[in-house]
Amino acid sequence: MNKEQALLQRIANRLGHSEPLKEKPQRDVIGAPDFWREYQLSLDEKIDRFSESWRALTGIVEVVDSPTAALTVLKNWLQSEQISRVIRWNHPELDNLGLDGELQGQGVKVDIWGKGGNFSMKEIANEAEAGITWVDYAVADTGTLALFSSAGKARSVSLLPPIHISIFRADQLVTRIGEIMVKLDEMNRKQGLPAGVNFITGPSRSADIENDLSIGVHGPKKVYAIIIR
Amino acid sequence: MSTHPAVPLKERIRHAIADEALIQAVKKTTDKLEGGKLSSSEALGNWEQWREQGNRIRSHVVAHLDYYLGQFIENVKKRGGHVHVADNAKQAVEIFLQIAKGKNAKSVLKSKSMVSEEVHVNKALEDNGVKVIESDLGEYIIQLFGEAPSHIIVPAIHKNRFQIADKFSEIAGEQLTHDTPTLTAFARQVLRKEFLEADIGVSGSNFAIAESGSIVMFTNEGNGRMVTTLPPVHVAFMGMERLLPSFEDLETFVNLLPRSATGQKITSYVSVINGARQEGDLDGAQEFHVIIVDNGRTNILGDEEFQEVLNCIRCGACLNVCPVYRHIGGHAYGDVYPGPIGAVITPLLKNDFETWGDLPYASSLCGACTEACPVQIPLHDMLVKLRAKKVRLGLTPGWERTAFRAWKGMFGKANRYKLSIKAAQMMIPFLAKEGYIEKGPLNMMGWTHARHFPSPAKQTFRDQWERISGELKGGGNHE
């Protein structure tokens, strides 16, 4: 009997089972309470609720009607933040947006995750002044972004630069975080979970010094979101 | 394995209450945290139903822990992760040292993990010449001071900004101002370099998902993400009871944990780690290890009086409302888990009532902890049961047992009780001054050492009742 089996047997003994349970136990309670599952917002309500929650935590958000308008907002933000270097996810939606040419025309160097040649992508991300992502889902209830990692969608991009800018379409909004949790369970059952899933709500923060809120401890200090209707 | 606190509980308390700055800092922070919890749980609504749901999910998991832990272990391995089991603190440290030696690690970067504090891994690493850095801002601060955390959520609750600025200035080699943005920026700059160079990243796990073999962390600063994203090896410490069956269940705890801990609707980051990086990924650890720690937890399983304490999600809400914690802070509890939860689990985990059996007495049994607990652990009932257990083990002083036997004999019979009350009343003029007893006799001295005891009423309830009921019978005009 190895140590894992020994631990499971010890637990079984304490619980009055002759050997560790192999059958999935029956249970009458799963996930969130029933009343909460009924919570469902319309598309407009989701946009409003997300924006309200996002702003409550110092986030900046713009709701636009077209990809072109999104690009204009992005360019303005980068200009007002005086940013000269960004790193972005290697994501087809960001390719389609055509931001590389537009930003470079504005004098901003754009690095794409995974296309750094011989340079370390982590170093490149660490030196970038902003990271740009196209999120997988967003949660209206709490103003939360959900980012699933993959080769082109690295975790470092939303973590290392001092500014994180995320773009998504309004139909990627869900009401509750639980809707994404159910999707994760489904992905897992199909062996399709990514290595990392991050739910991001607002900037990096801490209240560890005299319980005084400070922003941007290790992660981004500023967070921006663009919602395309 | 049981550790011994340097001085007895009463000494520790005396030391703590003499520290005015500590008491003020603890009070200020706990007030803020508790206020945040109340307003955020009220804004969510149906808080009692959420608690009930949390309790039922956690109770189910703990009652079937053999199944869920077995499932978790199997799924971590399926993803190529390494599973280690530590029966006790010593083994947990040995396992970690083995991993560090195997990787020839020079530098270990930690994010917050209460279990790693519980097993005391830092000292062992330092003794072996491995640099270990706590990256949570609060943990970083107390590590620089060479101290232990004094609150589960706010570890450096007992340090003020002036003390911190002086300490940071020593490292910076220049005098830093004491405003929090300056101090935070300094920590960010120093630690960012360390994150990028570390050989091993260490995290805790707030929850582990059995069905997928994932670990879940709730963090605010982003250091938890750093240590699991940048170093080539990630080692997660995990108490063996941390499980939830599926991601769907996590929704309840996303709603319960941050509100109970800090009053946030959700923490800045909820990070799910599903093993090491996958094909094509250029960040995330290349190797994932999880150290599953028992360290006394199986002692509590199957004990119907205390099993429910394993439902705990380590939010710290019971600390913030506890009148005793608020007066003495975390260090007086003598071990890593302070407050009501610490007073319950410390003697149980260590299974040593001789050394730790006095902790359950650090409570007024007011029940605020039970009311605050997001998973409905009846903490104050457990504190009473732990006291009873200490008595059953014969660990209370002889005079106390004699006194209670005398008390039982006295209070067991009505006439003896009346007699004792009369006798006590005759003593009042010798003890009380202006309505208060300032210095009690014998074992009452413990009480009156730090506060006054109100003098008993001149007329006892029984005497009053005799008079009132006599008047009533005597033909009042009531209906």
Side-chain angles (χ1 to χ4, degrees):
Chain A
M1 194 182 277
N2 65 27
K3 281 192 80 179
E4 292 148 28
Q5 289 163 335
L7 174 63
L8 294 177
Q9 185 61 52
R10 205 157 68 227
I11 293 172
N13 291 346
R14 294 291 304 187
L15 291 170
H17 308 148
S18 56
E19 55 179 44
L21 296 179
K22 289 277 176 288
E23 288 287 306
K24 189 174 179 171
Q26 289 293 316
R27 57 185 184 130
D28 54 3
V29 52
I30 297 177
D34 289 337
F35 70 87
W36 187 248
R37 292 162 184 266
E38 290 159 17
Y39 176 30
Q40 197 54 255
L41 300 173
S42 71
L43 184 65
D44 282 339
E45 287 170 332
K46 279 191 273 195
I47 294 173
D48 289 348
R49 186 72 203 259
F50 177 90
S51 305
E52 185 191 318
S53 307
W54 188 255
R55 289 188 182 116
L57 295 168
T58 71
I60 295 162
V61 56
E62 282 281 348
V63 184
V64 298
D65 288 325
S66 67
T68 324
L71 201 52
T72 309
V73 169
L74 178 65
K75 281 161 64 182
N76 289 340
W77 283 347
L78 293 180
Q79 204 159 27
S80 66
E81 292 281 359
Q82 297 178 314
I83 282 170
S84 60
R85 262 189 101 167
V86 301
I87 184 161
R88 72 163 174 92
W89 271 5
N90 186 0
H91 191 291
E93 295 280 6
L94 294 176
D95 292 343
N96 294 342
L97 217 53
L99 57 83
D100 303 349
E102 286 280 336
L103 296 186
Q104 268 148 12
Q106 198 177 294
V108 178
K109 183 175 186 310
V110 182
D111 280 302
I112 303 173
W113 183 267
K115 296 186 176 176
N118 291 328
F119 296 98
S120 148
M121 283 317 303
K122 287 179 201 169
E123 288 296 342
I124 294 173
N126 191 47
E127 280 156 26
E129 292 157 300
I132 302 172
T133 61
W134 184 285
V135 306
D136 292 270
Y137 297 98
V139 185
D141 175 45
T142 46
T144 298
L145 310 171
L147 282 71
F148 298 178
S149 74
S150 73
K153 295 158 64 192
R155 287 170 264 187
S156 299
V157 175
S158 62
L159 179 63
L160 298 180
I163 292 177
H164 176 210
I165 302 171
S166 57
I167 311 173
F168 55 97
R169 263 192 303 275
D171 62 13
Q172 291 174 273
L173 277 163
V174 296
T175 305
R176 314 176 280 118
I177 201 168
E179 295 168 61
I180 303 172
M181 296 300 175
V182 173
K183 290 179 206 289
L184 292 181
D185 280 327
E186 282 165 12
M187 288 167 82
N188 175 50
R189 283 160 205 157
K190 293 178 190 152
Q191 320 293 325
L193 270 187
V197 174
N198 277 290
F199 296 96
I200 301 177
T201 312
S204 153
R205 55 188 268 166
S206 175
D208 274 351
I209 300 176
E210 289 191 4
N211 209 27
D212 184 19
L213 182 65
S214 45
I215 298 294
V217 193
H218 295 302
K221 303 168 186 186
K222 273 191 171 178
V223 290
Y224 288 90
I226 303 175
I227 307 174
I228 305 171
R229 258 186 214 275
Chain B
M1 194 181 81
S2 178
T3 46
H4 287 261
V7 290
L9 178 66
K10 277 189 182 166
E11 262 319 297
R12 303 199 298 270
I13 290 174
R14 212 162 287 151
H15 184 74
I17 55 179
D19 188 342
E20 193 62 37
L22 169 84
I23 294 169
Q24 288 312 318
V26 170
K27 193 174 176 312
K28 187 176 140 196
T29 306
T30 51
D31 274 347
K32 205 162 168 180
L33 292 171
E34 168 61 0
K37 180 195 173 221
L38 288 177
S39 56
S40 68
S41 55
E42 202 178 294
L44 175 67
N46 301 299
W47 186 244
E48 289 310 308
Q49 271 166 280
W50 282 106
R51 292 176 76 209
E52 171 80 24
Q53 192 83 357
N55 170 284
R56 286 170 69 191
I57 293 172
R58 288 292 298 151
S59 294
H60 171 82
V61 168
V62 172
H64 302 89
L65 191 60
D66 45 353
Y67 177 79
Y68 290 112
L69 185 60
Q71 192 188 25
F72 173 77
I73 290 173
E74 197 179 311
N75 286 321
V76 171
K77 287 182 176 172
K78 263 191 209 161
R79 295 184 179 284
H82 303 268
V83 176
H84 310 267
V85 167
D87 296 340
N88 51 45
K90 195 164 159 256
Q91 287 181 10
V93 171
E94 277 165 12
I95 291 165
F96 189 85
L97 282 177
Q98 281 303 318
I99 299 171
K101 277 181 190 157
K103 296 287 149 199
N104 199 16
K106 306 269 182 299
S107 155
V108 171
L109 253 275
K110 288 179 71 196
S111 64
K112 202 170 158 54
S113 156
M114 287 307 292
V115 172
S116 78
E117 306 267 0
E118 180 186 321
V119 301
H120 302 291
V121 74
N122 290 14
K123 194 181 172 304
L125 282 167
E126 283 158 5
D127 291 348
N128 280 270
V130 182
K131 178 167 80 171
V132 52
I133 300 174
E134 295 284 353
S135 61
D136 174 88
L137 183 56
E139 298 273 354
Y140 176 64
I141 292 166
I142 56 169
Q143 189 189 23
L144 293 179
F145 281 95
E147 291 178 5
S150 64
H151 189 285
I152 295 177
I153 304 295
V154 197
I157 191 172
H158 58 288
K159 287 278 172 246
N160 66 41
R161 65 181 73 211
F162 301 99
Q163 296 167 303
I164 296 165
D166 286 347
K167 188 54 93 176
F168 280 13
S169 300
E170 278 174 31
I171 298 163
E174 56 172 324
Q175 187 59 43
L176 299 174
T177 50
H178 57 257
D179 56 305
T180 40
T182 301
L183 298 172
T184 305
F186 175 73
R188 179 186 173 100
Q189 182 206 334
V190 171
L191 291 169
R192 177 60 68 94
K193 200 167 155 280
E194 302 286 356
F195 285 126
L196 288 159
E197 288 169 0
D199 299 308
I200 298 180
V202 172
S203 76
S205 40
N206 291 97
F207 297 101
I209 308 294
E211 210 179 280
S212 64
S214 317
I215 65 149
V216 185
M217 299 180 300
F218 286 66
T219 65
N220 278 314
E221 297 179 4
N223 59 322
R225 292 186 61 195
M226 293 281 180
V227 302
T228 57
T229 302
L230 299 174
V233 179
H234 169 204
V235 181
F237 279 92
M238 167 188 153
M240 67 174 207
E241 80 289 12
R242 285 295 100 206
L243 292 146
L244 293 178
S246 64
F247 284 110
E248 198 175 353
D249 297 298
L250 189 57
E251 184 177 15
T252 289
F253 298 92
V254 167
N255 279 292
L256 284 172
L257 177 57
R259 284 184 174 84
S260 302
T262 56
Q264 289 170 276
K265 272 158 80 175
I266 185 170
T267 45
S268 302
Y269 306 111
V270 175
S271 304
V272 180
I273 310 287
N274 305 305
R277 69 167 72 167
Q278 296 175 1
E279 211 187 323
D281 288 356
L282 294 173
D283 65 4
Q286 284 148 295
E287 218 177 285
F288 174 71
H289 296 257
V290 58
I291 303 178
I292 299 169
V293 177
D294 178 343
N295 204 27
R297 287 163 173 79
T298 34
N299 297 337
I300 307 173
L301 273 180
D303 183 331
E304 53 177 51
E305 284 187 323
F306 303 115
Q307 179 169 307
E308 233 181 314
V309 81
L310 294 174
N311 291 0
C312 174
I313 58 173
R314 304 286 190 268
C315 66
C318 60
L319 280 58
N320 302 332
V321 296
C322 176
V324 175
Y325 177 86
R326 288 161 57 90
H327 275 88
I328 63 175
H331 289 155
Y333 290 82
D335 203 56
V336 280
Y337 301 107
I341 183 64
V344 173
I345 55 169
T346 306
L348 290 170
L349 286 179
K350 296 181 187 285
N351 200 16
D352 175 1
F353 279 70
E354 207 165 338
T355 314
W356 298 99
D358 50 2
L359 279 183
Y361 292 82
S363 165
S364 63
L365 300 179
C366 67
C369 46
T370 300
E371 210 176 288
C373 178
V375 290
Q376 299 180 324
I377 301 169
L379 287 162
H380 74 298
D381 288 340
M382 289 185 182
L383 289 166
V384 176
K385 286 171 184 163
L386 285 166
R387 294 178 186 185
K389 192 165 171 172
K390 190 180 172 194
V391 174
R392 279 202 304 276
L393 289 169
L395 293 170
T396 45
W399 66 261
E400 188 183 304
R401 290 197 298 277
T402 311
F404 274 108
R405 262 198 299 276
W407 183 81
K408 188 180 159 197
M410 201 68 88
F411 282 53
K413 291 265 193 305
N415 53 350
R416 288 186 203 162
Y417 172 76
K418 275 188 222 165
L419 197 68
S420 71
I421 295 293
K422 285 231 161 67
Q425 270 192 308
M426 285 162 69
M427 293 295 290
I428 293 170
F430 300 100
L431 293 170
K433 226 164 60 186
E434 290 165 12
Y436 285 98
I437 298 173
E438 287 181 14
K439 202 170 174 198
L442 297 172
N443 55 334
M444 217 182 126
M445 271 162 75
W447 176 282
T448 52
H449 176 74
R451 55 239 188 271
H452 298 163
F453 190 85
S455 164
K458 288 213 173 66
Q459 207 175 20
T460 66
F461 175 76
R462 279 169 173 272
D463 289 342
Q464 288 185 47
W465 179 249
E466 216 160 89
R467 183 172 54 78
I468 293 168
S469 63
E471 281 172 14
L472 291 177
K473 274 184 205 145
N477 53 1
H478 62 284
E479 288 168 17

